[in-house]
Amino acid sequence: MVFNSSIRYLDKRLTVDEIDIEAIVNEVGTPAYLYSLARMRRNFHRLRTAFASVNARLHFSVKANGNLDVLRALDAVGAGFDCVSGGEIYRVLEAGAVADDIVFAGVGKTRAELAYAIKNGVGWINVENVGELALIDQLAGDANGKAVRVALRLNPEVTALTHPHMATGHGAAKFGMTADVIRDLLDRPEAYPRIRFAGIHMHIGSQLGDLSATLAALDKLLALTTDYPWINAINLGGGLPVAYRFNEAIAAPDQLAVQLSHRLKGYDVLLEPGRAIVADAGLLVAEALYVKRQAGQTFVVVDASMAELIRPALYGAHHEIVPLRQIEGDTVTTQVVGPVCESADLLGADRELPPLKPGDKVALMTAGAYGMTMASNYNARPRPVEAVVDGERWWVSRRRETYADLLRNEV
Ligand code: LLP
């Protein structure tokens, strides 16, 4: 069975770029995140090709996966980066990226974060409220007096068809500014002498398979840029969808690009894809600890939980779960649960799985985006190891946290 160009069964064993996953986790333990750098590069190139006709600049959304080896690999193939905190900017700079290739976004940037971004010379700041502009103008004066390039984030008042936690473009959302507010600002740019208003940004949500909301929002954005023709950059944010289920049909990036591209001709186009680059390049490996039958159900308790992968608990998200060793025979309807003391710690409900025994290992698929970056130490669980596979090599990229790490900052 083949999941994608990098993840498949070979001789009934699940592999990443032909490396046996069990061999890796025998060394690094479980739970463990594994990433294929080859798959990430492939996804990046696919998006770049899809949007080549508008020469889109791809800024990888670091919130999806901030692993330093991942950032380095994407930097090496020419990605820029979308950062939403001083910490993400720090990570990206440590990975060796050029500050000018960073877009700094976020609904509540602090003074310290803005000062840090300006001092380091980030390429763009996506601004989400008027108060922030005054602060940037002041900080730019304190730093080097150089104009700071800004994109104003439009709240297009359009609701995307996605999980409510992932919709950001409706008027009641905290994100962005309405068109009226943006017009007010663009009518008197001289009020902010150290700011160069150069673009409009929008991001109406994630997993945007249906393009109609995006097109409606883009039309609102274009109404602005038509009235202020000196605005020549459009940042469309992220949100390109990925398939989380076997055989789930999602629109290919080139189909999406075709529908957007003719509207974008003549603009400098920026995108902020996160999951479309990394989600299907990563998986979380867990080991079955116990099997119990209760109330007519079969529970498999594994050593990964909502602390390592919160998406099922937070969004009801679906991650396919497969055994590392392909086992023939009848399947059992299984509740795959973690050890955390929360009923929401259910990683997979009603999964048809081969009968699992303690010690068997499973992979939670499509976990390369918003997996490790959303992991916590809840229940004092050390965060898991991250290993990367690059061609024929693999290595530990971030070691598993220890108990001592849990106490590191306590005074
Ligand atoms: N740009 C902006 C302004 C964003 O807010 C986001 C995601 C992205 C880009 C990247 O979106 P992507 O291409 O990865 O869909 N934690 C979540 C979803 C929330 C994402 C927040 N913003 C999840 O686990 O699905």
Side-chain angles (χ1 to χ4, degrees), residues 61 63-64 82 105 153 166 201 203 205-207 237-240 244 272-276 311 315 369-370 374:
S61 199
K63 64 175 86 67
D82 156 35
R153 178 168 180 178
M166 296 187 204
H201 170 239
H203 170 85
S206 283
Q207 284 294 82
L240 293 165
Y244 280 97
E272 300 169 343
R275 96 185 62 223
R311 302 191 72 258
Y315 314 113
Y370 307 107
M374 295 181 85

Side-chain angles (χ1 to χ4, degrees), residues 26 38 53 102-103 149 161 163 168 232 245 314 318 355 378 397:
N26 282 346
S53 70
I102 295 176
V103 168
R149 187 165 54 168
L161 276 180
H163 188 282
T168 53
N232 57 7
R245 290 170 191 268
L314 192 57
H318 182 95
Y378 188 40
S397 178

Side-chain angles (χ1 to χ4, degrees), residues 59-64 82 84 105-106 126 128 153 165-168 175 201-208 235-241 244 271-278 309-311 314-315 317 319 369-371 373-374:
H59 289 81
F60 171 63
S61 199
V62 176
K63 64 175 86 67
D82 156 35
V84 291
N126 293 342
E128 303 215 15
R153 178 168 180 178
H165 289 183
M166 296 187 204
T168 53
F175 300 98
H201 170 239
M202 70 172 201
H203 170 85
I204 62 165
S206 283
Q207 284 294 82
L208 303 175
N235 181 337
L236 283 182
L240 293 165
Y244 280 97
L271 297 174
E272 300 169 343
R275 96 185 62 223
I277 295 175
V278 292
L309 181 65
I310 201 176
R311 302 191 72 258
L314 192 57
Y315 314 113
H319 288 264
Y370 307 107
T373 51
M374 295 181 85

